[in-house]
Amino acid sequence: EVQLVESGGGLVQAGGSLRLSCAASGFISDDYAIGWFRQAPGKERKGVSCISSSDGSTYYADSVKGRFTISSDNDKNTVYLQMNSLKPEDTAVYYCAATLTDCTVVADNNRYGMDYWGKGTLVTVSS
């Protein structure tokens, strides 16, 4: 059974940083992609970033380019999302999700194309 467990959310002031972690287990394939989605109150869940296990290629939404960095530690089966220069509009529940296809699913904001989800972690950025 595939499990994704997020951690690292919290309250931070604007301009600050947080690092989210997504610990993954149970994959039987080496070819998958792990992405981060976020959902602010009253808004749709949108893809933020993604990393492919096969070639390490990455995707970033325009709203986070230059501020967020996604990386993976294969030894720990963990994907990280380093978030710098945080803004109040980054406030949302952040979800880790995995797809057995590729990061196109995340880039398309296609939440229904993701195969597995974590429970989410709340990030609050105060002004």
Side-chain angles (χ1 to χ4, degrees):
E1 179 185 2
V2 174
Q3 289 190 324
L4 302 172
V5 180
E6 305 99 331
S7 61
L11 173 63
V12 64
Q13 289 187 331
S17 298
L18 282 175
R19 188 178 77 160
L20 304 183
S21 299
C22 173
S25 62
F27 283 101
I28 60 174
S29 169
D30 292 332
D31 193 4
Y32 56 89
I34 290 185
W36 289 93
F37 284 72
R38 67 184 182 187
Q39 188 166 15
K43 295 189 176 181
E44 294 184 352
R45 191 172 300 187
K46 291 190 175 181
V48 174
S49 184
C50 182
I51 187 165
S52 170
S53 71
S54 60
D55 61 5
S57 58
T58 58
Y59 160 79
Y60 297 96
D62 287 343
S63 58
V64 305
K65 277 182 183 175
R67 300 188 298 123
F68 290 12
T69 302
I70 192 168
S71 62
S72 64
D73 184 332
N74 293 332
D75 290 339
K76 296 182 178 180
N77 293 322
T78 300
V79 171
Y80 303 100
L81 186 67
Q82 178 67 43
M83 306 186 295
N84 298 330
S85 302
L86 283 162
K87 305 174 182 180
E89 51 264 43
D90 293 318
T91 295
V93 177
Y94 283 71
Y95 297 90
C96 174
T99 174
L100 298 179
T101 57
D102 57 43
C103 287
T104 301
V105 179
V106 179
D108 290 343
N109 290 318
N110 182 10
R111 59 182 292 186
Y112 301 106
M114 305 302 288
D115 297 293
Y116 307 99
W117 288 89
K119 293 183 179 181
T121 184
L122 177 62
V123 171
T124 304
V125 184
S126 63
S127 56

